[in-house]
Amino acid sequence: MPVVFSFAARSDIGLTRANNQDSGYAGPHLLVVADGMGGHAGGDIASSVAIAHLAALDEETPAADEAAQAIHEAVAAAHSELLERVEEDPELAGLGTTITALLRCEDRLVLAHIGDSRAYLLREGTLEQVTVDHTFVQYLVETGRLDPDQAERHPQRSLLLRVLGDVELGGGVDVAARSAQVGDRWMLCSDGLSSVVSPETLSETLTQEKQPAVAADKLIDLALRAGGPDNITCVVADVLDLDKVADGRAPSSSVQVVGAAAVDRNRPTRGGSGAAGKAAALTAPKERTPDAAVKGKKRRRRKAKSPADDEESDTPRPRSLARRLVIPVIAVIVLGACIAVGKVAHDWSQTQYYLGVSQGKVAVYQGINQTLGPLHLSHVIRETDVAVASLDQVYQDRIGETISAGSLAEAEDKLAEFLTGAQTDSAAHPPEAP
């Protein structure tokens, strides 16, 4: 059955940001949200470049496998352009963007995703988060170190492990085909919406508001009422059967571009006159005027700034790709290396033995008399009934310093030798009578 989209795209700078680095696109065949990052004039470029390359796919595509290949090629082309831009202007180093895109091809949809922008599907009254965030916190959830509720409140929940930028793509973009079921409602958004509006409220709003444009407007308003701490972008689209359009809805045909990729990219927030806007205005630093819009591959060179200029600037710093991407990646690598080193050290230690003191008595230990962080590299395997205090001082000193052995058999031999010597010396030097 041929299906069509009825869609609406909305974006808002938010209440604390200096410029809008999000970009959104909605067309008859393609929906995209891209959340840029990497500096005052970097994230907006990255998200705009991603939109520009993906927008070329907004046309009839006969098969899902061809659509998937086209998405991979578009992302690769965007990646190449970002690398070129940074090479031409090193001040842009560290720019990047998330991508969440939905491409319609006949009765199928192809979903592409990288980063922490999200795609939600409302089907038969149930809202499902379809994409999986490429974040450090999500990694902790998947490895069982955090539960989902903790992840939603974690202070590092926005640290990205994968993004489209001036670094290698790593795991690349996730691409999967899905069915296009009439009656479905899709919502793509940046984390400026999903991080401040609960899934329950998202579901309620998307269910109650029948028109995509009304739903998108209300979602933006909800994020602004929650403080609007970031740029907010969302695309809402209904899957319709063209022959059976209901509720007065009709397929959309005019392309909608919002955010950094739009002509009105410097549009002020719609929430400035509300209570949240007034509260934010009292606490938010003064904003600088964003750079001029980027056209094609050329952009106006920014005036070089000294460190003193940065110290005097009150502009809130946008999310840094280096901070969000490189730091968690390094943390994971270091953590993995530490775990690997710790395992090797522990395995080797368990081939060693020594004589020592346990609860005041002579004992045999397996391992080495060391610790690695919270990990003890030895444990008692045999505790004798010989009290250390009953031995001559020279033997107390020897056992206190431990006596190493290369095997269990050697440890047993040294224990027998030690106890025999201690008993012999004790017999030869009995304690003096009082």
Side-chain angles (χ1 to χ4, degrees):
M1 166 193 319
V3 297
V4 291
F5 282 145
S6 176
F7 55 77
R10 298 290 187 270
S11 187
D12 194 281
I13 191 174
L15 300 178
T16 65
R17 296 298 187 186
N19 65 337
N20 195 344
Q21 301 196 28
D22 285 3
S23 291
Y25 179 98
H29 308 279
L30 178 72
L31 315 172
V32 189
V33 166
D35 182 354
M37 64 210 71
H40 183 67
D44 50 354
I45 293 174
S47 66
S48 298
V49 167
I51 292 293
H53 284 276
L54 288 167
L57 306 181
D58 191 10
E59 58 185 13
E60 289 286 354
T61 305
D65 56 347
E66 293 183 22
Q69 180 61 32
I71 288 175
H72 280 296
E73 292 174 356
V75 171
H79 183 221
S80 296
E81 181 172 340
L82 293 179
L83 293 175
E84 291 175 5
R85 285 175 177 262
V86 172
E87 185 176 356
E88 294 172 359
D89 186 356
E91 290 186 22
L92 294 177
L95 86 175
T97 184
T98 69
I99 293 174
T100 300
L102 198 64
L103 180 59
R104 180 176 66 83
C105 44
E106 296 183 338
D107 61 344
R108 301 282 287 173
L109 302 175
V110 176
L111 177 65
H113 170 66
I114 183 170
D116 63 351
S117 294
R118 293 179 177 178
Y120 291 86
L121 171 61
L122 181 67
R123 175 174 287 177
E124 298 178 351
T126 300
L127 184 67
E128 172 193 5
Q129 180 185 328
V130 179
T131 53
V132 177
D133 296 343
H134 296 141
T135 60
F136 184 56
V137 166
Q138 182 61 34
Y139 165 79
L140 296 179
V141 171
E142 292 173 353
T143 56
R145 302 179 190 183
L146 281 180
D147 62 47
D149 289 338
Q150 292 174 318
E152 289 296 328
R153 301 185 299 272
H154 199 282
Q156 305 300 327
R157 60 185 178 275
S158 294
L159 292 172
L160 292 175
L161 294 180
R162 210 192 303 177
V163 75
L164 175 67
D166 63 337
V167 294
E168 291 300 321
L169 281 176
V173 59
D174 293 340
V175 179
R178 300 183 64 95
S179 63
Q181 183 170 313
V182 172
D184 284 351
R185 168 167 282 186
W186 287 86
M187 193 272 285
L188 279 53
C189 68
S190 63
D191 68 340
L193 174 62
S194 59
S195 65
V196 296
V197 179
S198 69
E200 294 76 17
T201 301
L202 292 177
S203 178
E204 180 181 351
T205 303
L206 291 169
T207 300
Q208 290 180 351
E209 303 300 339
K210 302 305 180 183
Q211 298 297 329
V214 177
D217 285 335
K218 187 169 182 179
L219 290 172
I220 296 292
D221 288 340
L222 287 169
L224 292 171
R225 291 175 196 168
D230 200 354
N231 305 146
I232 313 154
T233 301
C234 70
V235 175
V236 178
D238 293 336
V239 179
L240 307 177
D241 179 353
L242 183 58
D243 298 327
K244 299 178 181 179
V245 176
D247 299 328
R249 292 178 294 176
S252 305
S253 56
S254 299
V255 170
Q256 299 178 26
V257 183
V258 296
V263 174
D264 62 346
R265 63 194 298 270
N266 295 328
R267 184 178 182 178
T269 177
R270 57 191 283 173
S273 61
K278 293 177 180 177
L282 295 175
T283 58
K286 183 180 179 181
E287 298 177 355
R288 294 181 296 186
T289 302
D291 288 355
V294 176
K295 296 183 179 179
K297 291 189 177 181
K298 297 182 180 179
R299 62 178 299 273
R300 188 173 60 191
R301 293 279 181 169
R302 291 173 292 160
K303 180 180 178 182
K305 298 179 294 180
S306 67
D309 293 331
D310 286 335
E311 292 177 2
E312 295 174 359
S313 170
D314 290 327
T315 304
R317 293 182 178 271
R319 294 174 299 170
S320 168
L321 175 60
R323 176 170 58 84
R324 293 186 66 194
L325 176 64
V326 177
I327 291 176
V329 169
I330 292 175
V332 172
I333 293 173
V334 171
L335 178 60
C338 290
I339 292 173
V341 171
K343 186 177 187 305
V344 171
H346 180 267
D347 290 348
W348 173 82
S349 72
Q350 299 312 294
T351 66
Q352 305 298 306
Y353 299 84
Y354 67 91
L355 308 186
V357 180
S358 173
Q359 298 182 355
K361 297 181 180 180
V362 177
V364 178
Y365 284 80
Q366 181 179 9
I368 58 175
N369 188 24
Q370 297 289 337
T371 59
L372 186 62
L375 181 65
H376 295 280
L377 299 181
S378 65
H379 60 280
V380 175
I381 60 172
R382 178 184 171 189
E383 185 178 288
T384 71
D385 57 0
V386 178
V388 174
S390 68
L391 304 178
D392 286 348
Q393 187 61 50
V394 63
Y395 286 93
Q396 290 186 33
D397 294 341
R398 283 183 62 192
I399 199 68
E401 294 176 356
T402 73
I403 302 170
S404 61
S407 66
L408 179 58
E410 184 180 350
E412 295 286 0
D413 289 343
K414 288 192 174 184
L415 176 63
E417 180 183 345
F418 176 83
L419 294 179
T420 298
Q423 291 170 357
T424 300
D425 279 6
S426 295
H429 303 90
E432 296 180 0

